[in-house]
Amino acid sequence: MLSLAAARAVTATVLYHGYEGTQGLTGFPNTGTWLIFAVILVPIYVMVIAWFVGTPRNTKTGLLGVTYLVGLTSGMWISMFFLTVIIGIVFYGGAPEPIGATGP
């Protein structure tokens, strides 16, 4: 029989495959977040700016487009947040940071 500590070590190896956390850099400010918001979303920024400064200009339609973008983005982020919490509870035994305890 394995001891509890050995079972936890085996489980951590199987679940995490030897990868560790980012040590103090968790959540929003990771490299991928900056890449997405600073590089990949530039065409979206240009499109939204063009709705309000381009010609012909229709503020009502521009606000409708911004409302759709905010609604779609919120729906995706909120649903992924709940999915992340559920995956953390089911597969890792607790809610992820910052909801649950920090660290493994």
Side-chain angles (χ1 to χ4, degrees), residues 31-81:
T31 306
T33 304
W34 295 115
L35 178 69
I36 289 170
F37 284 105
V39 177
I40 296 173
L41 290 179
V42 168
I44 303 297
Y45 301 148
V46 171
M47 176 186 69
V48 171
I49 291 169
W51 285 346
F52 294 103
V53 297
T55 54
R57 191 175 313 172
N58 188 346
T59 305
K60 184 178 176 184
T61 305
L63 290 174
L64 182 64
V66 169
T67 303
Y68 282 138
L69 285 174
V70 168
L72 287 169
T73 305
S74 299
M76 288 188 294
W77 278 73
I78 292 169
S79 63
M80 286 304 296
F81 171 75

